[in-house]
Amino acid sequence: MRILIIGGEAAGMSAAAKARRLIKEAEIVVYEASEVISFGACGLPYFVGDDFQNPEFMAEFSVEQFAARGIEVKTGHRVCALDPVRQTLTVEHDGDTFEDRYDRLMIATGAREVMPPIPGITLPGVFGLRRMADGMALKAAAEDKARPRAVVIGSGFIGLEVVEALVHQGKQVRLIELAERVIPEAFDAEITTHIEQELREQGVELHLGERVEALLGEEGVTAVRTDKGEYEADIVVVCTGVRPNTAFLEGTGIARLGNGAIEVDRQGRSSLPNVWAAGDCASVWHSVKQQQAYVPLATIANKLGRLVGENLAGGSAEFPGTLGSAALKVLGLEAGRTGLSEREAQQLGLDYRSVVIKDKCHTNYCPGQSDLYVKLVYEAGSQRLLGGQILGRKGAVHRIDALAVAITMGVTTAQLGVLDFAYAPPFSRTWDALNVAGNVAK
């Protein structure tokens, strides 16, 4: 059996490793367009911000390590076409093309950053942040004291992490967001208002509801022009989202979502025979929405990739679904979310209720006590938890893990109110903030 995998990052390499453990006699070949495999792009903002210095920390395994396991990884090889009838790939390498045949295929091509089609987007000094080379270039620019003014366009997870990194590098940072508040796709307004306050208090110039029209300069970027003003800039970082790398599948007939993501079932199978997909190029089953969704997170890529590896080897494992659990650090704040936001509950037409409480992370006689904000979204009738968001300076993100378990197990707000959480004065109060939120919910 010949198994081909397109893409050598989280999902692809997880699948390759799992398939090799289960089916020793198969030929397994991975085609990766870049020169780096097993790369974790999540670390890039922290590399730029000097949390660590060695970029190799973001690449967990090497080509040689996978070769020792019997997995052939070919870097610098870009798959440019798929023929599902003949079960072949067309591959480009060093200016030449060749075909390769598969018995089973996994597509794990990830996603690319969206660079808006505005004048000046290709000027020197304008950066994306998706690949290791992007991080190396942005870090060098951030360390250049002759380039003090930085503009970040887009306030999603990566955008806010980049803002923090540039603040740590001593830059004068300006954040421009088209929406009326930051990170609107992930968090509700009760949470984002505190993030915005933290940004402003830390000296970040925040521009909300503002559209970028052009990047100005000749030999390099010098300013950003929007519909409301013009701002000097030595560095511009574009963080306006990602799009699945699936353009090479045009004409194959493979089913895709509106944004181009490959539709897969809960076993990771696509609509084409003998073709699976996972990671940022594919959809994933959302266990609360009960439908396919696009949730480009590293946790999902690794888990669904491993599951696809089992199925490439002849298994029939099914993914139970995602909650879209995610975490974020913004300067002195941390925030987590899981399940449905209130906006998502409204879009689904659910009969829901929500509650927001302000509490404390632990007892007042232990040092470092600070505020915690908890928001719950739950069914109106059954009071079954549908989603939650938590923000604070200490202890917020790990509490979101408890909510993820509660949502998965169908816990109600009343049950949350009496759940037996661990207590000691440095960690919580006798009634944990999650207990309080559950008891306040009606």
Side-chain angles (χ1 to χ4, degrees):
M1 178 186 296
R2 187 167 178 81
I3 296 173
L4 299 185
I5 296 174
I6 313 173
E9 294 186 3
M13 299 318 298
S14 294
K18 182 64 174 179
R20 171 53 72 219
R21 286 195 295 271
L22 294 176
I23 185 165
K24 304 295 185 183
E25 68 277 10
E27 297 177 89
I28 302 177
V29 179
V30 180
Y31 288 116
E32 167 56 41
S34 75
E35 298 298 331
V36 181
I37 65 167
S38 294
F39 174 63
C42 302
L44 285 171
Y46 304 97
F47 174 65
V48 172
D50 267 350
D51 282 15
F52 62 97
Q53 300 299 321
N54 187 350
E56 293 183 3
F57 290 166
M58 294 180 283
E60 190 169 356
F61 297 106
S62 68
V63 170
E64 292 75 19
Q65 287 172 307
F66 276 101
R69 301 184 187 183
I71 298 169
E72 184 178 4
V73 181
K74 296 185 177 183
T75 59
H77 287 67
R78 181 179 300 277
V79 174
C80 54
L82 161 65
D83 186 333
V85 176
R86 296 171 56 228
Q87 294 199 174
T88 60
L89 301 178
T90 302
V91 186
E92 295 178 343
H93 176 62
D94 286 343
D96 295 325
T97 62
F98 62 92
E99 283 193 348
D100 198 357
R101 180 198 59 81
Y102 63 85
D103 295 304
R104 292 174 182 170
L105 172 68
M106 179 194 184
I107 303 172
T109 46
R112 65 189 184 281
E113 68 271 31
V114 175
M115 301 298 278
I118 57 176
I121 195 71
T122 60
L123 281 169
V126 180
F127 302 89
L129 195 61
R130 189 71 184 171
R131 295 165 292 275
M132 186 178 287
D134 299 332
M136 301 284 284
L138 180 55
K139 186 180 180 72
E143 291 174 340
D144 185 351
K145 297 189 184 304
R147 305 168 76 175
R149 298 161 299 188
V151 174
V152 178
I153 302 172
S155 71
F157 284 95
I158 298 298
L160 290 174
E161 290 165 354
V162 169
V163 166
E164 176 170 350
L166 293 173
V167 168
H168 288 171
Q169 289 284 13
K171 301 302 178 187
Q172 303 164 26
V173 182
R174 192 181 304 271
L175 175 61
I176 302 176
E177 168 58 50
L178 179 60
E180 296 298 327
R181 57 188 181 86
V182 299
I183 201 164
E185 296 300 314
F187 291 93
D188 290 325
E190 295 94 338
I191 301 298
T192 60
T193 186
H194 299 288
I195 297 174
E196 292 162 11
Q197 180 180 348
E198 176 74 4
L199 290 166
R200 292 188 174 104
E201 289 178 355
Q202 295 290 336
V204 177
E205 295 288 337
L206 192 56
H207 298 257
L208 301 176
E210 197 160 343
R211 180 187 300 276
V212 174
E213 296 181 339
L215 306 182
L216 309 179
E218 294 182 4
E219 296 182 358
V221 68
T222 58
V224 177
R225 189 179 73 227
T226 74
D227 57 351
K228 296 182 180 179
E230 189 173 305
Y231 315 106
E232 293 182 323
D234 306 298
I235 298 169
V236 174
V237 190
V238 181
C239 304
T240 49
V242 298
R243 181 174 294 121
N245 280 322
T246 58
F248 73 101
L249 297 172
E250 292 291 343
T252 63
I254 196 169
R256 292 187 288 171
L257 301 179
N259 69 344
I262 302 164
E263 287 192 55
V264 296
D265 65 15
R266 293 172 71 172
Q267 293 186 357
R269 285 182 178 271
S270 77
S271 62
L272 298 178
N274 299 315
V275 178
W276 289 255
D280 292 359
C281 67
S283 69
V284 65
W285 182 255
H286 197 291
S287 56
V288 182
K289 294 181 179 180
Q290 288 290 291
Q291 64 187 36
Q292 293 292 332
Y294 185 62
V295 188
L297 295 172
T299 48
I300 296 169
N302 278 280
K303 291 168 186 171
L304 194 52
R306 186 177 187 273
L307 179 145
V308 167
E310 182 173 340
N311 294 340
L312 287 170
S316 56
E318 291 196 354
F319 187 61
T322 182
L323 295 173
S325 303
L328 173 70
K329 181 177 179 295
V330 183
L331 301 165
L333 291 177
E334 58 180 66
R337 56 97 63 209
T338 188
L340 301 184
S341 66
E342 185 169 0
R343 177 185 59 82
E344 290 171 318
Q346 291 171 350
Q347 290 173 343
L348 292 167
L350 300 180
D351 185 12
Y352 74 93
R353 299 288 183 272
S354 68
V355 66
V356 181
I357 64 111
K358 176 183 176 182
D359 204 74
K360 299 294 183 181
C361 63
H362 59 62
T363 55
N364 61 351
Y365 51 79
C366 286
Q369 187 195 58
S370 57
D371 293 336
L372 273 180
Y373 296 87
V374 180
K375 179 171 185 176
L376 302 179
V377 179
Y378 54 97
E379 282 185 338
S382 69
Q383 293 195 315
R384 180 175 63 93
L385 289 168
L386 299 173
Q389 301 171 34
I390 309 178
L391 175 139
R393 297 191 178 277
K394 183 179 178 183
V397 162
H398 287 303
R399 280 180 170 88
I400 212 70
D401 292 336
L403 279 184
V405 174
I407 294 168
T408 300
M409 302 308 295
V411 169
T412 66
T413 56
Q415 290 170 324
L416 181 66
V418 293
L419 271 181
D420 189 16
F421 296 117
Y423 162 70
F427 304 111
S428 67
R429 301 206 286 182
T430 50
W431 286 93
D432 188 81
L434 290 179
N435 293 136
V436 175
N439 287 326
V440 170
K442 300 295 183 183

